[in-house]
Amino acid sequence: MKKTVSMAAVLLFAGISIFLVSCKSDDYYREQAVISARKYVLKNAKDLDVIQQEYIRYNKPVIMAENILGDYANAKKSVLCGETSQVCIAWVVPGEKDALVVFGTSDNRLFNWSPYRLIRKTYQTKEYNRIAAFETAAKYAMNNMLYLSTEQRNRVRFGVPQVVNTKFPLDFDPMGTLKPEEVTRLKALPLQTSFAWESFTKGKKIVVCGVGNANFAGWTPIFGQEMEDGDLNQNTVQ
């Protein structure tokens, strides 16, 4: 006797499958958002020269997100994905005064993000320094934390990290390869700041810790580690 499966059961299974896939594809959504933003810039910024266009094509942007407040956010909530955020994807082309910022909205996972407007924005020095520090931290993780999984590496590449003032004990030259004057310079930098991304392991974060001056000027990475939330909290300066 052949067993039959009702159409309702098929639809239910399909719906559950779509839900599970959507909940596990944060990095995919981020990457698709970056691709859309890159195409939008190249289509609408007609004054870019060839070198600037190549920079946009082959360099990763900074992603900046903030929840939208008020009735609009509540009205636009996604059943699957939570609050609607205003998400800006920005490239700071070397030698250019203005950043190329693509504005769009989506949930906080960048699910279904689409570009609405291209903005040329002049950032203050602090903002430029912060963007440079973020890029340096991500690059450090890519080059030195080789044990990270592909999913974790994508999260570092495309995710927005938490910025934390920290007080970790630091070994400025663990490999003994730095010149004494470089060690002295690093020790003289007054502020320790860490960039922390959520790990795929519950209760852990991917942390790159470094030192610099006020407003992220001269920020230099010292170490990177996937660590327990408790370790980061214990070494956080409020």
Side-chain angles (χ1 to χ4, degrees), residues 197-235:
W197 293 263
E198 291 290 339
S199 173
F200 280 90
T201 304
K202 186 176 181 180
K204 289 189 175 184
K205 286 187 172 59
I206 301 166
V207 178
V208 177
C209 175
V211 292
N213 293 299
N215 298 333
F216 301 98
W219 187 87
T220 304
I222 302 300
F223 76 89
Q225 182 182 334
E226 183 182 18
M227 65 178 62
E228 302 284 345
D229 287 346
D231 292 338
L232 178 60
N233 294 337
Q234 289 176 8
N235 288 281

Coordinates of all heavy atoms in Angstrom, one line a residue, residues 197-235:
W197 N 33.7 40.4 17.6 CA 32.6 39.8 16.8 C 32.0 38.6 17.5 O 32.7 37.8 18.1 CB 33.2 39.4 15.4 CG 33.7 40.4 14.5 CD1 33.0 41.0 13.5 CD2 35.0 41.0 14.5 NE1 33.8 41.9 12.8 CE2 35.0 41.9 13.4 CE3 36.2 40.8 15.2 CZ2 36.2 42.7 13.1 CZ3 37.3 41.5 14.9 CH2 37.3 42.4 13.9
E198 N 30.7 38.5 17.3 CA 30.1 37.3 17.9 C 30.6 36.0 17.2 O 30.7 36.0 15.9 CB 28.5 37.3 17.7 CG 27.8 38.4 18.5 CD 27.8 38.1 20.0 OE1 28.0 36.9 20.3 OE2 27.7 39.0 20.8
S199 N 30.9 35.0 17.9 CA 31.4 33.8 17.4 C 30.2 32.9 17.1 O 29.1 33.1 17.6 CB 32.4 33.0 18.3 OG 32.7 31.8 17.9
F200 N 30.4 31.8 16.3 CA 29.4 30.9 16.1 C 29.3 29.9 17.2 O 28.3 29.1 17.3 CB 29.6 30.1 14.8 CG 29.2 30.8 13.5 CD1 30.1 31.7 12.9 CD2 27.9 30.7 13.1 CE1 29.7 32.4 11.8 CE2 27.5 31.5 11.9 CZ 28.4 32.3 11.3
T201 N 30.3 29.9 18.1 CA 30.2 29.1 19.3 C 29.5 29.9 20.4 O 29.9 31.0 20.7 CB 31.6 28.8 19.8 OG1 32.3 28.1 18.8 CG2 31.6 27.9 21.1
K202 N 28.4 29.4 21.0 CA 27.6 30.1 21.9 C 28.5 30.5 23.1 O 29.3 29.7 23.7 CB 26.5 29.3 22.4 CG 25.5 30.0 23.3 CD 24.3 29.2 23.7 CE 23.3 29.9 24.6 NZ 22.2 29.1 25.0
G203 N 28.4 31.8 23.6 CA 29.1 32.2 24.7 C 30.5 32.7 24.5 O 31.3 32.9 25.4
K204 N 30.9 32.8 23.2 CA 32.3 33.2 22.8 C 32.3 34.3 21.8 O 31.3 34.6 21.1 CB 33.1 32.0 22.2 CG 33.4 30.9 23.2 CD 34.4 29.9 22.6 CE 34.9 28.9 23.6 NZ 35.9 28.0 23.0
K205 N 33.4 35.1 21.8 CA 33.5 36.1 20.8 C 34.9 36.0 20.2 O 35.9 35.5 20.8 CB 33.4 37.5 21.5 CG 31.9 37.9 21.8 CD 31.8 39.3 22.3 CE 30.3 39.6 22.5 NZ 29.6 38.8 23.4
I206 N 35.0 36.5 19.0 CA 36.3 36.7 18.3 C 36.8 38.1 18.5 O 36.2 39.1 18.2 CB 36.1 36.4 16.8 CG1 35.5 35.0 16.5 CG2 37.4 36.6 16.0 CD1 35.0 34.9 15.1
V207 N 37.9 38.1 19.2 CA 38.4 39.4 19.7 C 39.8 39.7 19.1 O 40.7 38.9 19.1 CB 38.5 39.4 21.3 CG1 39.1 40.7 21.8 CG2 37.2 39.1 21.9
V208 N 40.0 41.0 18.6 CA 41.3 41.5 18.3 C 41.6 42.7 19.1 O 40.8 43.7 19.1 CB 41.4 41.8 16.8 CG1 42.8 42.4 16.4 CG2 41.1 40.6 15.9
C209 N 42.6 42.6 19.9 CA 43.0 43.6 20.9 C 44.2 44.4 20.4 O 45.1 43.8 19.9 CB 43.3 43.0 22.3 SG 43.8 44.2 23.5
G210 N 44.1 45.7 20.6 CA 45.2 46.6 20.2 C 45.4 47.8 21.0 O 44.6 48.0 21.9
V211 N 46.3 48.6 20.7 CA 46.6 49.9 21.4 C 46.7 51.0 20.5 O 47.1 50.9 19.3 CB 47.9 49.8 22.3 CG1 47.7 48.8 23.4 CG2 49.1 49.4 21.4
G212 N 46.4 52.2 21.0 CA 46.4 53.4 20.1 C 46.3 54.7 20.9 O 46.3 54.6 22.2
N213 N 46.1 55.8 20.2 CA 45.9 57.1 20.8 C 44.4 57.4 20.9 O 43.6 56.5 20.5 CB 46.6 58.2 20.1 CG 48.1 58.0 20.2 OD1 48.7 58.1 21.3 ND2 48.8 57.8 19.0
A214 N 44.0 58.5 21.4 CA 42.6 58.9 21.4 C 42.1 58.9 20.0 O 42.7 59.2 19.0 CB 42.5 60.3 22.0
N215 N 40.8 58.6 19.9 CA 40.0 58.6 18.6 C 40.6 57.6 17.6 O 40.6 57.8 16.4 CB 40.0 60.0 18.0 CG 39.3 61.0 18.9 OD1 38.4 60.6 19.7 ND2 39.6 62.3 18.8
F216 N 41.2 56.5 18.2 CA 41.7 55.4 17.3 C 42.9 55.7 16.5 O 43.3 54.9 15.7 CB 40.6 54.9 16.4 CG 39.3 54.4 17.1 CD1 38.2 55.2 17.2 CD2 39.2 53.1 17.6 CE1 37.1 54.8 17.8 CE2 38.1 52.7 18.3 CZ 37.0 53.5 18.4
A217 N 43.5 56.9 16.7 CA 44.7 57.2 16.0 C 45.8 56.3 16.3 O 46.1 56.0 17.4 CB 45.1 58.7 16.3
G218 N 46.4 55.8 15.2 CA 47.6 54.9 15.4 C 47.3 53.5 16.0 O 48.2 52.8 16.4
W219 N 46.0 53.1 15.9 CA 45.6 51.8 16.5 C 46.4 50.7 15.9 O 46.5 50.5 14.7 CB 44.1 51.6 16.4 CG 43.7 50.4 17.2 CD1 43.3 50.3 18.5 CD2 43.6 49.0 16.7 NE1 42.9 49.0 18.8 CE2 43.1 48.2 17.7 CE3 43.8 48.4 15.4 CZ2 42.9 46.8 17.5 CZ3 43.6 47.1 15.2 CH2 43.1 46.3 16.3
T220 N 47.0 49.8 16.7 CA 47.9 48.7 16.3 C 47.4 47.4 17.0 O 47.3 47.4 18.2 CB 49.3 49.0 16.6 OG1 49.7 50.2 16.0 CG2 50.2 47.9 16.1
P221 N 47.1 46.4 16.2 CA 46.7 45.1 16.9 C 47.9 44.4 17.6 O 49.0 44.5 17.1 CB 46.2 44.3 15.7 CG 47.0 44.8 14.5 CD 47.2 46.3 14.8
I222 N 47.6 43.8 18.7 CA 48.6 43.1 19.5 C 48.3 41.6 19.6 O 49.3 40.8 19.4 CB 48.6 43.7 21.0 CG1 48.9 45.2 21.0 CG2 49.7 42.9 21.8 CD1 50.2 45.6 20.3
F223 N 47.1 41.2 19.7 CA 46.8 39.8 19.7 C 45.3 39.6 19.3 O 44.5 40.5 19.4 CB 47.0 39.1 21.1 CG 46.0 39.4 22.1 CD1 44.9 38.5 22.2 CD2 46.1 40.4 23.0 CE1 43.9 38.8 23.2 CE2 45.1 40.7 24.0 CZ 44.0 39.8 24.1
G224 N 45.0 38.4 18.8 CA 43.7 38.0 18.5 C 43.4 36.7 19.1 O 44.2 35.8 19.2
Q225 N 42.1 36.5 19.5 CA 41.7 35.2 20.2 C 40.2 35.0 20.2 O 39.5 36.0 20.3 CB 42.2 35.3 21.7 CG 41.9 34.0 22.5 CD 42.4 34.1 23.9 OE1 43.3 34.9 24.2 NE2 41.8 33.4 24.8
E226 N 39.8 33.8 20.0 CA 38.4 33.5 20.3 C 38.3 33.2 21.8 O 38.9 32.2 22.2 CB 37.9 32.3 19.4 CG 36.5 32.0 19.6 CD 36.0 30.7 18.8 OE1 36.9 29.9 18.4 OE2 34.8 30.6 18.7
M227 N 37.5 33.9 22.5 CA 37.5 33.8 23.9 C 36.1 33.8 24.5 O 35.1 34.1 23.8 CB 38.3 35.0 24.6 CG 37.6 36.3 24.4 SD 38.6 37.6 25.2 CE 40.2 37.5 24.4
E228 N 36.0 33.3 25.7 CA 34.7 33.3 26.4 C 34.2 34.7 26.7 O 35.0 35.6 26.9 CB 34.9 32.5 27.8 CG 35.4 31.1 27.7 CD 34.3 30.1 27.2 OE1 33.1 30.5 27.2 OE2 34.6 29.0 26.8
D229 N 32.9 34.9 26.7 CA 32.3 36.2 27.0 C 32.8 36.7 28.4 O 33.1 37.8 28.6 CB 30.8 36.1 27.0 CG 30.2 36.0 25.6 OD1 31.0 36.3 24.6 OD2 29.1 35.7 25.4
G230 N 32.9 35.7 29.3 CA 33.3 36.1 30.7 C 34.7 36.6 30.7 O 35.0 37.6 31.4
D231 N 35.6 36.1 29.9 CA 37.0 36.7 29.8 C 37.0 38.1 29.3 O 37.7 38.9 29.8 CB 37.9 35.8 29.0 CG 38.1 34.4 29.6 OD1 38.0 34.3 30.8 OD2 38.5 33.4 28.8
L232 N 36.2 38.3 28.3 CA 36.1 39.7 27.7 C 35.5 40.6 28.7 O 36.0 41.7 28.9 CB 35.3 39.7 26.4 CG 35.1 41.0 25.8 CD1 36.4 41.7 25.4 CD2 34.2 40.9 24.5
N233 N 34.5 40.2 29.4 CA 33.8 41.0 30.4 C 34.7 41.4 31.5 O 34.7 42.5 32.0 CB 32.5 40.4 30.9 CG 31.5 40.2 29.8 OD1 31.5 41.0 28.8 ND2 30.6 39.2 30.0
Q234 N 35.5 40.4 32.0 CA 36.4 40.7 33.1 C 37.5 41.7 32.7 O 38.1 42.3 33.6 CB 37.1 39.3 33.5 CG 36.1 38.4 34.3 CD 36.8 37.1 34.6 OE1 38.0 36.9 34.4 NE2 36.0 36.1 35.1
N235 N 37.8 41.8 31.5 CA 38.9 42.7 31.0 C 38.3 43.9 30.3 O 39.1 44.6 29.6 CB 39.8 42.0 30.1 CG 40.7 41.0 30.9 OD1 41.7 41.3 31.5 ND2 40.3 39.7 30.8

